[in-house]
Amino acid sequence: MIYRKKSYKINPDKLKQFNDFFHLYLYPNQIKHGAILIGRWVNESNDKIEAIWQYESLEQYEQIEIMIRESELHLKAKENREQLGELFVESHQEFLTSTSPIGTYENPKHIVLSE
């Protein structure tokens, strides 16, 4: 598994528009083609959004991106985005791998003291 962390720096006044755009275009197109959204968060000042996506491999991510760019929904998203103006100031992504095999982390064991 690999994980893609996508970060957006946004204008706080555009948070609702950005979220609406994400839920209408980006999220459905990603999951339709096989990406899995682990989570999506905004910071307290509403000027940064982070999303973590899961893929089987970098090759799967690249295949999904090709299918997305060729999709009708992607074309609609591009048209809509031109009408909305600038939704984010900048974006950055990085790929992450687990530091431990999946499922190997366990809950801490508790020490029970007897009297």
Side-chain angles (χ1 to χ4, degrees):
M1 292 290 163
I2 66 158
Y3 299 88
R4 177 173 64 113
K5 182 174 107 173
K6 182 79 175 193
S7 305
Y8 297 92
K9 182 175 174 145
I10 65 169
N11 178 335
D13 297 334
K14 295 274 191 165
L15 178 62
K16 181 179 179 344
Q17 286 180 301
F18 188 84
N19 282 335
D20 291 347
F21 184 82
F22 175 83
H23 290 108
L24 188 61
Y25 297 105
L26 303 180
Y27 177 70
N29 217 2
Q30 287 282 341
I31 63 168
K32 175 183 178 182
H33 296 291
I36 297 170
L37 181 63
I38 300 300
R40 189 170 176 268
W41 304 268
V42 64
N43 65 355
E44 290 179 4
S45 56
N46 291 335
D47 66 354
K48 187 174 183 183
I49 292 178
E50 302 273 351
I52 306 283
W53 294 91
Q54 177 181 310
Y55 305 90
E56 291 177 17
S57 64
L58 189 56
E59 292 78 20
Q60 184 202 30
Y61 160 75
E62 291 167 348
Q63 291 170 350
I64 288 171
E65 286 298 302
I66 290 169
M67 290 185 287
I68 286 172
R69 283 192 298 275
E70 295 173 350
S71 73
E72 185 177 321
L73 189 56
H74 181 71
L75 296 176
K76 287 180 183 178
K78 284 175 67 173
E79 290 172 9
N80 186 272
R81 190 140 166 240
E82 288 174 9
Q83 295 172 359
L84 293 174
E86 186 177 80
L87 286 179
F88 57 90
V89 178
E90 62 185 47
S91 69
H92 171 75
Q93 74 178 11
E94 60 184 321
F95 291 91
L96 309 166
T97 55
S98 177
T99 59
S100 179
I102 303 290
T104 60
Y105 287 112
E106 298 179 10
N107 290 331
K109 304 221 184 317
H110 300 288
I111 298 173
V112 179
L113 298 175
S114 61
E115 294 183 34

